[in-house]
Amino acid sequence: MRFYLFISFSLISHVLFSQKEATHWFFGSKAGLYFDPGGPSPLHGSAMNTQEGCAVISHKETGELLFYSNGRNVWNRKHQLMPNGRDFPDECWSGITQSALIVPFPGDDSKFYLFSIFYTTEPGGSIFIEQNCNYGQYATPLFREVRYSLIDMTLDKGMGDVVADSKHVLLQLNATEKLVAVPHANENDYWIITHAFGSSDFYVYALTHEGISEPEITAIGSPHELKPDLFFADEEATGNMKASPDGTKLACAVASRSRPFDLFDFNPATGQIDNYINLGMVSGQYGLSFSPDNSKLYVTTDDRPEPNVYPHPDIIIQYDLNAGDVPSIIASRKSIFRDNPFTNVPGNGIFEGFLLLDKGLQLAPDGRLYSTGDYAYSPTNGKVMVVIERPNEAGYDCRVNYKRFDFRNGNVGSGLPNFIESYFNRIESGNTCSEGAALSIYPNPTYGIVHLNFLEGCDPYINITVFNALGQRIAAFESNEQETEIDISAWANGIYFFVLSTQYTQRLVRRITKV
């Protein structure tokens, strides 16, 4: 067999890209993805290193890259540091869960707020410390604070720059590593949501064209506390917070030993948080995401199994928020990895490139849900991403698989870009891999060469069995390449049936005529 790369753009034109702010992704150690109707493709050239948090923004209409940040430095679309965007060493990493978030300036399309979270060694202390450029956690607890800067895209000849007198403005002391923005119901303004450390307090700020309000503070849910008996005593400061794409739900992951997984209602008209639900005890919560249709909630866990329940860890848990009353929602909890018959993930959920504790989750413009492990420093395992093809579907029907991407010198980290989740509200899920359209066979009729092509982004593993018109088995093949070329020139002219078994569809049958 000879193998070629062939990319088809027409087969998934039904995927909706109504908003293009999330077209470009940069994350991990110089890794990146570009999303268009042809599916995701690796991006190269990123100048950013981050173990965890980062943010990137593209033009909402054209999809052109504008800028990106790990919460420390800021790079423009040419992957150059903005003139006022370099405050830390060029190779400064971020080890903070949601270290950055980009929010449009209400009423001015040329400006953006960049929110960042920094370590300090004391409340109100300097952010220019070594810990803000290192990866990992620290045995000695640190403090965290939220700051913001203003980015003006009319500066530096249209390349954008940080406004000199609006840099690192202090917003909140003693925060956790959670940072979320939800569009206001008035469709002009935003709510900025953070969480305090050492309490159950949420801080909700109104962001309008006049600036940022004083916070409304709501004590609700489980506290995020210092745990002196743990090696990382402040690990409850870590873990993601996400809003549902429609802005009506809020979930908090806390990366600690078994503890409550918290879900709330959020009112995008008032900024009120209420109706707390404890979804059960989950160990090592970190990444989380809602589905595009707001019906499912996903959370990653660490690799500690619950031996009294099952010998293998959950890895990624799904909840069905439409299951009914609260007990029914809690009971809908399901591991989408364990013993899944429709996946290339091993039955125990453990495979190289997805072993370490912290794992990110993020919706993408193609309606799929992407996940990564903490491999920003591994040239071999840093190319693996887990892709949930149909996150709106319940249980194994969500079609989860892992895929390797050619990031060249780039590697994934445990963090993916932190976006405003409304960019993905109600977009069509990327379910093309489970359809016959994901696989094309040509030419037909053929004089001797048959090409089998998988849509870019779909796992190409396939078993092929060929029968003649009499039902006799002629040949069998196996391939894991995006395009496979099969030479049947030595076969007699006639009709052949190619029976194809894929990761996504139990069986496809294609009739090929040899002339």
Side-chain angles (χ1 to χ4, degrees):
M1 296 183 189
R2 295 192 297 273
F3 305 110
Y4 303 89
L5 180 64
F6 178 88
I7 301 176
S8 170
F9 293 97
S10 61
L11 296 179
I12 56 171
S13 60
H14 66 282
V15 177
L16 302 181
F17 285 79
S18 57
Q19 293 178 294
K20 297 185 178 181
E21 291 93 338
T23 299
H24 294 80
W25 285 22
F26 294 107
F27 53 95
S29 174
K30 301 180 180 178
L33 286 174
Y34 175 74
F35 291 89
D36 68 8
S41 56
L43 275 176
H44 309 115
S46 171
M48 179 177 69
N49 286 314
T50 179
Q51 179 191 14
E52 299 186 53
C54 54
V56 57
I57 191 74
S58 302
H59 192 280
K60 65 180 181 179
E61 295 175 355
T62 66
E64 179 187 29
L65 174 65
L66 296 179
F67 65 95
Y68 57 99
S69 175
N70 58 4
R72 279 82 191 102
N73 297 323
V74 189
W75 291 268
N76 63 26
R77 63 177 177 267
K78 291 186 176 180
H79 309 291
Q80 300 168 341
L81 285 167
M82 290 184 175
N84 286 322
R86 185 186 185 279
D87 292 302
F88 293 86
D90 291 355
E91 291 297 311
C92 183
W93 291 67
S94 170
I96 288 180
T97 308
Q98 290 174 288
S99 62
L101 175 67
I102 298 168
V103 182
F105 191 106
D108 189 339
D109 290 345
S110 66
K111 295 178 181 177
F112 297 86
Y113 282 91
L114 171 62
F115 293 89
S116 304
I117 298 178
F118 295 94
Y119 288 129
T120 61
T121 56
E122 59 184 4
S126 173
I127 63 173
F128 300 102
I129 58 176
E130 180 182 5
Q131 289 91 335
N132 275 312
C133 288
N134 291 340
Y135 56 82
Q137 293 178 273
Y138 299 92
T140 301
L142 293 167
F143 298 92
R144 296 156 179 84
E145 60 186 40
V146 184
R147 293 177 176 260
Y148 67 86
S149 300
L150 189 62
I151 312 294
D152 188 339
M153 295 306 299
T154 67
L155 299 178
D156 194 26
K157 300 179 182 179
M159 297 299 295
D161 198 5
V162 181
V163 178
D165 60 357
S166 298
K167 290 179 60 174
H168 304 315
V169 180
L170 179 63
L171 185 68
Q172 180 184 337
L173 295 171
N174 199 32
T176 62
E177 300 182 6
K178 295 169 171 55
L179 189 52
V180 167
V182 177
H184 195 290
N186 65 19
E187 300 182 357
N188 293 313
D189 305 323
Y190 295 89
W191 302 105
I192 307 301
I193 309 170
T194 64
H195 198 287
F197 188 57
S199 73
S200 61
D201 290 347
F202 285 87
Y203 283 55
V204 180
Y205 303 83
L207 172 60
T208 72
H209 69 281
E210 295 179 346
I212 304 175
S213 71
E214 290 297 314
E216 291 290 331
I217 302 174
T218 302
I220 188 172
S222 60
H224 303 181
E225 298 178 313
L226 192 71
K227 300 291 185 180
D229 58 323
L230 300 181
F231 183 77
F232 298 120
D234 59 352
E235 69 180 15
E236 288 205 351
T238 65
N240 281 260
M241 178 165 63
K242 291 281 183 72
S244 59
D246 65 2
T248 64
K249 299 285 185 182
L250 192 68
C252 275
V254 178
S256 187
R257 58 189 171 186
S258 187
R259 71 177 317 282
F261 179 42
D262 294 349
L263 176 66
F264 311 87
D265 285 346
F266 183 78
N267 188 327
T270 65
Q272 182 179 6
I273 301 172
D274 57 16
N275 295 331
Y276 166 56
I277 299 175
N278 174 358
L279 290 175
M281 306 300 282
V282 178
S283 173
Q285 309 161 31
Y286 184 82
L288 65 84
S289 179
F290 293 83
S291 60
D293 70 352
N294 307 284
S295 70
K296 307 297 184 297
L297 175 59
Y298 296 84
V299 63
T300 70
T301 77
D302 64 19
D303 294 332
R304 286 174 287 187
E306 300 178 50
N308 295 329
V309 178
Y310 198 84
H312 304 312
D314 283 317
I315 310 296
I316 298 180
I317 296 170
Q318 181 201 76
Y319 293 87
D320 187 348
L321 303 182
N322 289 344
D325 58 13
V326 171
S328 298
I329 293 173
I330 295 172
S332 73
R333 168 177 171 166
K334 182 177 181 61
S335 170
I336 60 172
F337 271 39
R338 283 196 318 229
D339 296 335
N340 186 338
F342 307 114
T343 181
N344 62 0
V345 174
N348 61 7
I350 303 298
F351 58 99
E352 290 187 2
F354 214 68
L355 293 174
L356 300 182
L357 302 185
D358 297 337
K359 303 173 182 68
L361 277 173
Q362 180 57 52
L363 285 175
D366 62 359
R368 297 181 175 97
L369 181 55
Y370 290 77
S371 183
T372 55
D374 187 6
Y375 284 92
Y377 330 105
S378 172
T380 55
N381 294 326
K383 317 300 181 185
V384 173
M385 300 188 77
V386 166
V387 184
I388 300 175
E389 302 282 345
R390 302 166 61 184
N392 293 336
E393 302 300 322
Y396 297 150
D397 287 341
C398 71
R399 301 290 180 174
V400 57
N401 288 280
Y402 73 85
K403 185 180 188 310
R404 294 186 182 274
F405 287 85
D406 180 14
F407 294 124
R408 296 182 186 171
N409 65 330
N411 297 299
V412 304
S414 57
L416 290 168
N418 190 16
F419 290 109
I420 300 173
E421 294 298 302
S422 65
Y423 297 158
F424 315 105
N425 190 33
R426 301 287 177 183
I427 61 174
E428 186 175 343
S429 293
N431 59 4
T432 54
C433 287
S434 62
E435 300 170 357
L439 178 66
S440 57
I441 301 180
Y442 61 94
N444 189 23
T446 178
Y447 290 100
I449 299 296
V450 177
H451 296 269
L452 286 75
N453 168 249
F454 267 99
L455 195 66
E456 179 71 7
C458 297
D459 190 305
Y461 175 78
I462 189 170
N463 278 312
I464 309 152
T465 306
V466 184
F467 298 87
N468 62 19
L470 299 176
Q472 298 168 323
R473 175 173 166 165
I474 300 300
F477 308 95
E478 183 178 294
S479 175
N480 61 358
E481 299 294 330
Q482 209 71 36
E483 176 158 308
T484 302
E485 181 185 279
I486 301 176
D487 187 351
I488 64 171
S489 57
W491 297 5
N493 293 346
I495 295 173
Y496 296 91
F497 295 92
F498 282 63
V499 180
L500 310 126
S501 299
T502 75
Q503 294 286 347
Y504 307 95
T505 304
Q506 291 298 307
R507 190 177 69 168
L508 295 172
V509 180
R510 293 291 186 266
R511 173 175 166 167
I512 301 293
T513 302
K514 163 70 168 37
V515 294

